Amino acid sequence: KTKGFETTLSWKQTTSRGLRYGLSLVFSDYISTITKYDNPKGVLSDYYVGMKLGEIWGFETAGLFKSDEEAQALDQSEISGHQFLAGDIKFNDINNDKKITRGSQTLADHGDLKIIGNTTPRYSYGFRANADWKGFDITVFFQGIGKRDIMPNSIYFLQHYTSEWAVPQKINSDYWRPDNQDAYFPRARIGNAPEITLPQTRFLQNAAYIRLKQLTLGYSIPQVLLTRFNINNIRVYFSGNNIWTSTKMLDIFDPEASATNVYPLTRSFSLGMNLTF
């Protein structure tokens, strides 16, 4: 069952001084819920009754271990067979059984797994404004998403912990070392670190954003200056696309993309002239 709404508000006016302008706002939201499905055990890897489409199940990250002793005091052997040391990822023991587990990965027994986010884009909006006055014109278009979570693809984000090849990012150098204990990534490892690529709150990205999608500025030369040249209109303009974005996502990702393993949208600027005879 999908519930949602979509609304559009618009306004156009011409003032006594000859200024013409228009404003429009589009706002929508939806959420889909599974109401019936043949999954009596509530297995998390499949649809289940009550599931919100886009759910992300994962672990709640408690940070990085500060010492070898702290790392070896928590049993995380079920999720990784290597010995945990200072700088490795530490998960929260949600069910208080003194170890980190997935349980049977069902609704009734999911160990320390929990719903950590949802990939459904919520509260989508767009705002457009345009105006013209004495030959000058402007159009501005903003768009964005109010709420969305993304778990990055490890190939482009955690490739320095996997066997996948990709071009390293600058952020990949911010890994735990004795002189960098507040790092974003855990200590350097070569293989055998499955806990790093598991869905978890440490690497979950807040993909909400607002973007100045388009800006156009133009000027039309008064027609009285053009009649002697048999020209009906000359308009010069500047246009920019994807000019500005505000988001909490890491800057190696594009929040507008449907996934985090695609090329980002390009930013472009152009100057032009329209000539009509």
Side-chain angles (χ1 to χ4, degrees):
K1 178 184 291 185
T2 299
K3 291 185 177 181
F5 65 87
E6 182 175 347
T7 183
T8 301
L9 302 174
S10 60
W11 177 269
K12 292 183 179 181
Q13 185 174 0
T14 301
T15 69
S16 59
R17 295 180 179 273
L19 171 65
R20 295 186 301 175
Y21 69 93
L23 306 171
S24 64
L25 173 67
V26 177
F27 182 60
S28 64
D29 184 40
Y30 76 94
I31 190 71
S32 298
T33 306
I34 300 297
T35 60
K36 185 177 181 181
Y37 194 78
D38 187 15
N39 182 6
K41 293 184 178 180
V43 177
L44 302 182
S45 60
D46 203 351
Y47 296 121
Y48 58 83
V49 175
M51 176 185 183
K52 306 292 184 184
L53 289 191
E55 286 178 352
I56 303 174
W57 282 82
F59 291 100
E60 187 176 81
T61 315
L64 304 178
F65 289 114
K66 298 183 182 303
S67 66
D68 294 346
E69 292 75 19
E70 181 189 12
Q72 292 157 21
L74 178 63
D75 183 359
Q76 297 192 146
S77 59
E78 181 183 301
I79 59 174
S80 183
H82 71 79
Q83 182 182 41
F84 283 86
L85 302 172
D88 282 332
I89 284 176
K90 175 184 179 181
F91 294 120
N92 272 337
D93 180 17
I94 295 176
N95 59 2
N96 296 313
D97 63 355
K98 307 302 182 181
K99 55 185 177 180
I100 304 301
T101 69
R102 301 181 179 89
S104 58
Q105 298 187 63
T106 64
L107 289 175
D109 177 22
H110 47 80
D112 298 299
L113 291 170
K114 60 180 287 188
I115 297 173
I116 60 174
N118 194 296
T119 60
T120 301
R122 305 288 308 276
Y123 315 119
S124 303
Y125 57 89
F127 174 74
R128 184 181 297 275
N130 61 277
D132 64 83
W133 180 71
K134 293 186 177 182
F136 293 95
D137 63 86
I138 182 173
T139 298
V140 179
F141 176 54
F142 289 90
Q143 73 173 35
I145 296 294
K147 182 179 181 181
R148 188 187 186 195
D149 301 304
I150 290 292
M151 197 67 219
N153 187 307
S154 62
I155 297 177
Y156 293 86
F157 181 56
L158 298 168
Q159 73 274 4
H160 49 315
Y161 295 101
T162 71
S163 60
E164 302 288 348
W165 182 89
V167 177
Q169 307 287 340
K170 182 178 180 180
I171 190 176
N172 296 149
S173 63
D174 185 22
Y175 58 88
W176 186 94
R177 302 182 297 277
D179 62 343
N180 188 32
Q181 298 194 19
D182 293 326
Y184 184 64
F185 293 105
R187 70 185 178 95
R189 298 188 64 87
I190 301 177
N192 192 30
E195 77 280 0
I196 298 176
T197 56
L198 290 173
Q200 57 187 280
T201 56
R202 185 174 188 85
F203 301 135
L204 189 71
Q205 299 292 304
N206 179 351
Y209 75 95
I210 181 172
R211 167 169 282 163
L212 177 53
K213 190 70 176 175
Q214 180 182 27
L215 170 65
T216 301
L217 301 171
Y219 177 69
S220 297
I221 298 174
Q223 192 171 20
V224 66
L225 301 178
L226 303 176
T227 53
R228 62 183 295 184
F229 301 106
N230 294 320
I231 298 175
N232 291 329
N233 181 64
I234 294 180
R235 177 178 175 269
V236 293
Y237 66 89
F238 162 82
S239 181
N241 293 310
N242 302 318
I243 298 174
W244 169 82
T245 303
S246 177
T247 181
K248 292 183 178 180
M249 286 192 79
L250 294 174
D251 59 10
I252 62 174
F253 301 127
D254 182 357
E256 190 178 346
S258 59
T260 56
N261 59 344
V262 297
Y263 288 104
L265 297 179
T266 58
R267 178 180 299 157
S268 62
F269 302 94
S270 60
L271 291 171
M273 180 176 67
N274 296 325
L275 181 63
T276 305
F277 293 94

